[in-house]
Amino acid sequence: MSFKYNFLFFVCSVFFNIHSYAQDIALTKNLLDTEIEKKSNRYKNQKAFAKAQVAYLNKEWDSTLIFTAKQLNISNNNDDLINYCHFFRGNAFNQKKIFNEAEKEFLKVSESFPFYNLTKMFLGTIASEQKKFEKALSYFIEIENYNSRELQHIDKLNIQENIALCYMGLGKLQEAEPYFKSVIEVQKKKQDTIRLIGTYGNIANLYYERYEDTIAIKYFTKAYELSKKTKDFYSKYTAAANMSVVEENRRQYKLALTYQLEAQRWKDSVNNQSKIYEVAKIEKKLAVEQKQKEVDVLEAENKVKVAQRNGILVSALVLLALLGASVYFYREKVKSNKIITSQNEALDSLNATKDKLFSIVSHDLRSSVNALKTSNRNLVSNLETKNIDKLGGLLNSNSAIVNGAYNLLDNLLNWAMLQTKQTYFNIEEHRLFMLVEHVAFNYQALFAEKNITFINTVSKKGKILADQESLKIILRNLLDNAIKFSDLDGEISVYSSSEEDNYIQLIIEDCGLGMSEATRLELLKETSLLSKKENEDIIGTGLGIQLCKSMIKKNNGKFSIESQLGSGTKMIVSLPKPSIDGQS
Amino acid sequence: MDKVNVLVVEDTPAESDKLIAALKANNFNVVGLATSFKDALTLYHSTNPDILIIDIFLNGSPDGVSFAEAVTLSPEGAKPFVFLTSSTDRQIFERAKLTKPFSYLLKPFNELELLYAIEMALEKFYEQKDVFFGDEEDTVISDNYLFIKKGKALKKILVSDIIYIEVEDKYCNIITKNEKFVILISLVKILKLLNPKVFMRSHRNYIVNIEKVSEIVPSDNLIVLSGNHKAVISDTFKDKIISTVKTLK
């Protein structure tokens, strides 16, 4: 609402007019704004108007113009709303110093508008801004005599002062004088020092115009004196500058210079102040920018946070998957560990068995070799004493020892070959009788030694499917056993029977020691490799019988034992027959 | 009857001595002893053996198998053979097995096993199973020889020496220039195995060697063969024999 003192009076081209005072005006303005806000609030439901109102109150003039234009474009607005719109627009144009447009807008405001007087005031100021003093004067005089309630926040002093200024502008100094004087009176009462200084300046100018220099100088001096009491730099500057001009005109150059310097000082202060304002503005701008930056930073942070959150979510999922996978693999590992452990145990026990086998085999071999050593020593001593008769017996016993050791080694070799699957193994058709004959042929000497009768009554037609060499190993072991457990003058018979359809049973029967049921079961057990040495002399490693069992199994055969302690043993090997068409 | 010729391929003197002694004790004629792959090939071609006994390992390498392969690859000269080995090493056996027919003898072996292996080799080679070990038959017939088991011993007869064969039940009387003996074989089988262009039936019970025919007396139903042997000829087979003899003469 800077409709006051906006026009300058140039008496000597350096006379300064007095400006409005922010504090004072702001107060009035605030009151007015509140009033306008209150009264216009009932149109809040109109969106554009609501926005326009907010913009107006916030002094965003461009926005005000845009939104009011929008609101005006809408049909069926009521008059009051239209008045508000024009009022806002007028004021906005006025603030933007587009006076022609402002005047147009204000003129559109109808008399029913609550702030119509205010509109007139605006029109007056606009006219005076355009130096159309007469027109302005008519507006001002129109509202001059209204009482304060009708004037609504318009300071009557302002009107009077403006009238005075208008008269001055028109050169009607006589008419201006009483207005100034009445204004001064009121201002004095109010102790409104700053405005008083301004008014003193104006009235001084008036007298100066009328060349009543003495009175003018009195007012100038008054203004100057008063200005010393205020803190308003602009008032001080104006007063000092006026004094300087006055003194210069009175040719008091020295004084004029002093005032000039003072004015200059105050002007600098004003500049400083405005600089401070500018600086404050810049600071504000900077602060806003800073805030904006902070907002940006926050936004960026938010983005980063979102990204982080997503990242965390993804990594959580990945971790979960990893966890699942590791749990799965851990369980698998535990499972396989269990298997491995059980396998280890099995292997350990097998290894222990093997070690035991080693110890027994080596023990047997050592005894054999030791016996051979002793026997050889006897042989040598008998040879030295030419005791020829004993040599034969010793040699026989030597060969028996060697034979036993050989059989043991042979079984050991075959066992190893069987375990490592290095042997050639080929199942073919064979005549059982022939194979028995072949094997028995090597035992003739042994039979003779023990005077054992050997009878082979295996069917000559009987054919079986087997691997030749492994079957021979089986037969050798069974015959060894039969001989071992037979008494002197015993009988060993080998015969076949074909009770089962697809098998031929080969039975090796002796009339020797026989065995207990426990021993029998022990021998037939799947895994027991070594039977206990119940009888050091004749019970061996058990390797032979184990080898037999393994090889019979590999030949797809079956093995069983029938025995009675003291009356002999039957070892029964069942081997598959070739199929009827004779093909193996 | 002649002894069967055996060629021994063995590089260990102790082994070969034992082997040769065993063979001789069982009436085999050992025609040669080779100790290397090269010797073996030379002797094989020069001595006309009936059967080969080959040690798989000659001087530490399995040259025995190579030799057997070489023999097998010459079809006109292929002969039955027995592998000798002291191990049942599987890889070597897998290779030896490719030289079909395959029979082997594992050291140490006894006489029975040796004879069995030789007989098995003959049976497998001439594809006449179950001849020597059953009670029904005792003869394996090759293109040139009959291999006959007499007791434990194995003998051979040159097929071209046979003048005629007289069949009695399961037996066949073989008549050669110098000998007459009985073998166990069925008529059907002997007819199938002998060359039908040379050996023809003249009667239900007679098979004659056409090349030995000197005269046919149809009126007496007689056929006169070399050495003045006489065989019976029946009406059923008369015409075919006469025409065959005529074309030959």
Side-chain angles (χ1 to χ4, degrees):
Chain A
M1 234 170 70
S2 53
F3 48 85
K4 247 188 78 195
Y5 325 125
N6 278 349
F7 32 100
L8 295 172
F9 300 117
F10 301 107
V11 180
C12 304
S13 79
V14 271
F15 273 162
F16 297 92
N17 204 346
I18 304 137
H19 250 267
S20 59
Y21 300 104
Q23 259 187 332
D24 185 37
I25 301 303
L27 188 72
T28 323
K29 187 167 182 167
N30 278 348
L31 282 172
L32 187 70
D33 281 348
T34 323
E35 192 76 24
I36 291 169
E37 192 182 349
K38 246 191 241 163
K39 292 205 169 162
S40 60
N41 262 351
R42 55 200 154 126
Y43 302 112
K44 270 258 169 173
N45 55 346
Q46 301 283 346
K47 266 188 189 171
F49 181 76
K51 282 181 186 169
Q53 188 210 24
V54 172
Y56 173 79
L57 294 174
N58 289 331
K59 298 176 187 136
E60 293 159 357
W61 306 120
D62 289 325
S63 306
T64 312
L65 286 174
I66 290 164
F67 289 118
T68 47
K70 264 190 191 172
Q71 184 63 41
L72 285 172
N73 277 339
I74 300 167
S75 51
N76 74 34
N77 287 326
N78 70 28
D79 291 344
D80 198 29
L81 186 56
I82 292 168
N83 283 338
Y84 273 111
C85 287
H86 288 308
F87 180 76
F88 286 168
R89 287 175 72 80
N91 209 353
F93 280 126
N94 188 23
Q95 291 292 342
K96 289 167 78 67
K97 313 271 181 212
I98 306 169
F99 299 117
N100 282 335
E101 290 297 323
E103 192 184 359
K104 273 184 203 165
E105 293 294 338
F106 281 126
L107 283 174
K108 281 177 188 166
V109 176
S110 64
E111 279 185 43
S112 60
F113 186 55
F115 300 100
Y116 186 66
N117 291 332
L118 193 57
T119 314
K120 284 230 169 114
M121 187 72 183
F122 273 121
L123 281 167
T125 41
I126 288 164
S128 51
E129 288 280 4
Q130 292 170 320
K131 315 271 185 213
K132 294 171 182 169
F133 296 118
E134 276 181 50
K135 200 176 172 187
L137 205 58
S138 71
Y139 285 123
F140 289 136
I141 288 168
E142 205 175 328
I143 55 171
E144 186 197 350
N145 292 320
Y146 293 154
N147 58 36
S148 64
R149 194 182 57 81
E150 285 168 320
L151 281 175
Q152 299 161 314
H153 310 289
I154 306 168
D155 196 341
K156 205 166 184 175
L157 280 181
N158 285 346
I159 302 166
Q160 286 176 343
E161 207 168 352
N162 277 339
I163 291 170
L165 287 170
C166 284
Y167 281 132
M168 254 181 93
L170 289 170
K172 294 181 177 173
L173 305 177
Q174 294 288 359
E175 279 87 344
E177 192 180 356
Y179 279 104
F180 277 129
K181 280 193 171 161
S182 80
V183 167
I184 288 168
E185 283 308 306
V186 178
Q187 283 172 341
K188 266 184 183 168
K189 265 185 212 162
K190 283 187 176 175
Q191 294 190 321
D192 191 343
T193 320
I194 293 169
R195 285 172 70 177
L196 197 58
I197 295 167
T199 318
Y200 279 147
N202 285 338
I203 202 168
N205 271 329
L206 177 93
Y207 289 120
Y208 219 78
E209 285 279 286
R210 279 164 50 178
Y211 298 94
E212 295 174 21
D213 285 11
T214 331
I215 304 167
I217 290 166
K218 196 183 92 190
Y219 279 111
F220 277 132
T221 316
K222 263 188 182 176
Y224 179 70
E225 289 303 321
L226 261 179
S227 78
K228 281 183 179 169
K229 290 176 190 167
T230 74
K231 284 176 183 174
D232 188 76
F233 296 128
Y234 190 77
S235 303
K236 283 169 186 278
Y237 163 64
T238 321
N242 284 346
M243 285 305 286
S244 164
V245 171
V246 168
E247 292 303 334
E248 201 183 337
N249 286 347
R250 286 203 297 188
R251 319 261 166 184
Q252 302 272 6
Y253 294 116
K254 207 175 172 186
L255 260 176
L257 196 65
T258 321
Y259 284 121
Q260 181 75 42
L261 284 173
E262 200 190 335
Q264 200 59 45
R265 208 167 68 232
W266 295 129
K267 194 184 179 185
D268 287 348
S269 296
V270 169
N271 283 347
N272 275 349
Q273 205 176 29
S274 45
K275 258 184 200 164
I276 286 165
Y277 280 134
E278 268 170 32
V279 168
K281 250 187 193 172
I282 290 166
E283 272 176 0
K284 199 180 163 188
K285 208 176 154 192
L286 280 177
V288 167
E289 275 173 8
Q290 194 64 33
K291 277 278 173 211
Q292 189 58 42
K293 266 183 197 167
E294 274 173 24
V295 167
D296 287 348
V297 167
L298 281 176
E299 268 175 11
E301 272 178 4
N302 267 349
K303 268 185 194 170
V304 168
K305 270 181 190 167
V306 166
Q308 272 178 347
R309 199 190 56 204
N310 287 345
I312 286 168
L313 203 69
V314 166
S315 40
L317 283 175
V318 167
L319 282 177
L320 204 69
L322 274 177
L323 190 73
S326 41
V327 164
Y328 174 76
F329 283 116
Y330 178 73
R331 288 183 63 173
E332 285 296 301
K333 201 191 157 204
V334 166
K335 233 187 254 176
S336 60
N337 273 354
K338 265 185 196 168
I339 294 167
I340 289 169
T341 311
S342 68
Q343 281 173 341
N344 269 349
E345 279 167 11
L347 284 175
D348 282 348
S349 77
L350 283 177
N351 208 26
T353 320
K354 202 156 250 183
D355 289 345
K356 205 173 157 195
L357 175 72
F358 261 119
S359 75
I360 291 171
V361 165
S362 44
H363 181 262
D364 276 17
L365 283 175
R366 203 182 64 159
S367 339
S368 295
V369 171
N370 195 36
L372 208 58
K373 250 168 85 180
T374 320
S375 179
N376 277 350
R377 216 177 292 134
N378 284 341
L379 208 59
V380 170
S381 65
N382 279 322
L383 206 61
E384 278 170 356
T385 54
K386 307 266 191 232
N387 195 352
I388 306 296
D389 301 339
K390 276 207 168 178
L391 291 183
L394 281 168
L395 279 172
N396 270 341
S397 82
N398 271 9
S399 89
I401 292 162
V402 170
N403 204 39
Y406 176 80
N407 283 341
L408 180 60
L409 284 173
D410 196 38
N411 278 343
L412 209 55
L413 175 66
N414 286 321
W415 177 260
M417 299 275 262
L418 184 72
Q419 298 303 317
T420 52
K421 293 182 177 152
Q422 280 176 355
T423 356
Y424 172 71
F425 191 89
N426 187 32
I427 289 183
E428 277 180 314
E429 214 178 285
H430 290 285
R431 284 182 186 268
L432 197 50
F433 175 79
M434 296 305 295
L435 293 179
V436 172
E437 281 291 290
H438 292 167
V439 174
F441 189 82
N442 288 343
Y443 286 91
Q444 298 305 329
L446 282 175
F447 292 141
E449 192 187 305
K450 270 190 154 180
N451 198 23
I452 290 168
T453 316
F454 175 78
I455 309 157
N456 176 8
T457 54
V458 176
S459 155
K460 285 188 183 182
K461 287 179 189 170
K463 285 197 229 171
I464 43 94
L465 283 176
D467 170 65
Q468 181 177 310
E469 287 312 312
S470 60
L471 184 55
K472 280 184 181 174
I473 291 163
I474 296 163
L475 290 173
R476 275 205 286 274
N477 274 294
L478 294 178
L479 279 177
D480 270 336
N481 274 340
I483 293 167
K484 204 191 286 179
F485 295 108
S486 281
D487 301 320
L488 284 176
D489 308 320
E491 187 185 294
I492 295 172
S493 58
V494 182
Y495 54 95
S496 61
S497 86
S498 42
E499 283 169 20
E500 277 182 88
D501 276 352
N502 301 320
Y503 288 90
I504 287 185
Q505 282 162 314
L506 178 72
I507 298 128
I508 294 136
E509 188 177 356
D510 68 65
C511 311
L513 282 176
M515 63 182 84
S516 65
E517 182 66 13
T519 315
R520 190 183 80 87
L521 291 175
E522 181 73 18
L523 283 176
L524 288 174
K525 250 191 208 166
E526 186 75 24
T527 50
S528 80
L529 182 60
L530 306 162
S531 55
K532 267 189 207 159
K533 288 209 157 191
E534 289 167 356
N535 185 333
E536 279 289 332
D537 293 334
I538 46 177
I539 295 173
T541 52
L543 179 62
I545 203 83
Q546 204 57 41
L547 188 60
C548 283
K549 282 195 288 187
S550 302
M551 287 190 157
I552 289 166
K553 200 175 168 192
K554 210 176 172 196
N555 277 300
N556 309 315
K558 292 184 277 192
F559 180 61
S560 62
I561 302 172
E562 286 174 19
S563 183
Q564 258 186 319
L565 209 55
S567 63
T569 307
K570 280 186 195 175
M571 297 284 189
I572 302 158
V573 182
S574 305
L575 292 164
K577 282 182 193 173
S579 48
I580 313 291
D581 58 14
Q583 297 301 306
S584 53
Chain B
M1 288 204 277
D2 298 319
K3 287 182 179 177
V4 175
N5 292 337
V6 183
L7 174 62
V8 177
V9 183
E10 167 68 77
D11 63 326
T12 319
E15 298 280 346
S16 58
D17 288 353
K18 216 175 90 187
L19 179 59
I20 289 167
L23 288 169
K24 283 182 174 165
N26 286 287
N27 285 312
F28 284 98
N29 183 28
V30 180
V31 293
L33 168 64
T35 54
S36 69
F37 177 75
K38 212 178 142 192
D39 284 359
L41 272 182
T42 320
L43 279 171
Y44 175 65
H45 290 300
S46 62
T47 56
N48 188 31
D50 296 310
I51 199 154
L52 310 162
I53 296 175
I54 308 162
D55 190 0
I56 285 183
F57 282 94
L58 295 177
N59 307 310
S61 59
D63 276 353
V65 182
S66 311
F67 173 58
E69 282 164 356
V71 169
T72 314
L73 284 173
S74 57
E76 75 283 356
K79 290 287 157 65
F81 55 80
V82 176
F83 278 124
L84 278 183
T85 181
S86 53
S87 77
T88 50
D89 187 292
R90 200 170 52 153
Q91 282 178 328
I92 289 300
F93 265 72
E94 292 299 339
R95 189 179 154 202
K97 208 182 155 187
L98 297 174
T99 61
K100 289 215 166 180
F102 168 71
S103 51
Y104 69 94
L105 191 55
L106 204 67
K107 295 176 191 175
F109 51 86
N110 59 41
E111 272 181 39
L112 286 181
E113 287 167 324
L114 174 63
L115 298 179
Y116 180 75
I118 291 171
E119 287 157 15
M120 281 294 280
L122 280 172
E123 283 188 2
K124 280 183 181 173
F125 188 83
Y126 295 111
E127 294 169 341
Q128 294 162 42
K129 265 169 69 178
D130 292 335
V131 174
F132 296 125
F133 311 111
D135 293 331
E136 273 103 60
E137 294 177 22
D138 64 358
T139 304
V140 166
I141 299 166
S142 76
D143 288 348
N144 298 322
Y145 292 102
L146 302 186
F147 294 98
I148 305 154
K149 195 178 178 185
K150 286 286 169 197
K152 267 187 174 182
L154 204 60
K155 296 283 183 183
K156 66 170 184 183
I157 292 286
L158 197 61
V159 172
S160 54
D161 280 353
I162 298 170
I163 295 167
Y164 73 96
I165 300 164
E166 188 187 352
V167 183
E168 282 177 29
D169 293 335
K170 288 191 283 181
Y171 306 100
C172 290
N173 286 310
I174 309 285
I175 290 97
T176 64
K177 204 168 119 192
N178 308 318
E179 293 172 286
K180 180 183 169 185
F181 51 84
V182 179
I183 62 168
L184 265 172
I185 194 165
S186 71
L187 178 73
V188 183
K189 192 173 174 186
I190 202 168
L191 272 173
K192 194 174 83 186
L193 291 171
L194 289 171
N195 184 352
K197 283 174 183 163
V198 181
F199 290 92
M200 299 181 81
R201 280 177 90 172
S202 62
H203 180 265
R204 239 184 91 241
N205 294 331
Y206 285 91
I207 300 165
V208 295
N209 185 342
I210 294 294
E211 286 163 355
K212 303 284 183 185
V213 175
S214 49
E215 194 186 351
I216 296 169
V217 190
S219 53
D220 293 344
N221 280 349
L222 265 182
I223 188 163
V224 183
L225 301 142
S226 69
N228 210 21
H229 288 289
K230 292 183 181 71
V232 185
I233 189 165
S234 68
D235 293 342
T236 329
F237 304 104
K238 199 190 283 173
D239 295 346
K240 199 185 174 193
I241 287 189
I242 288 169
S243 66
T244 316
V245 170
K246 268 184 184 166
T247 48
L248 277 172
K249 293 243 160 126

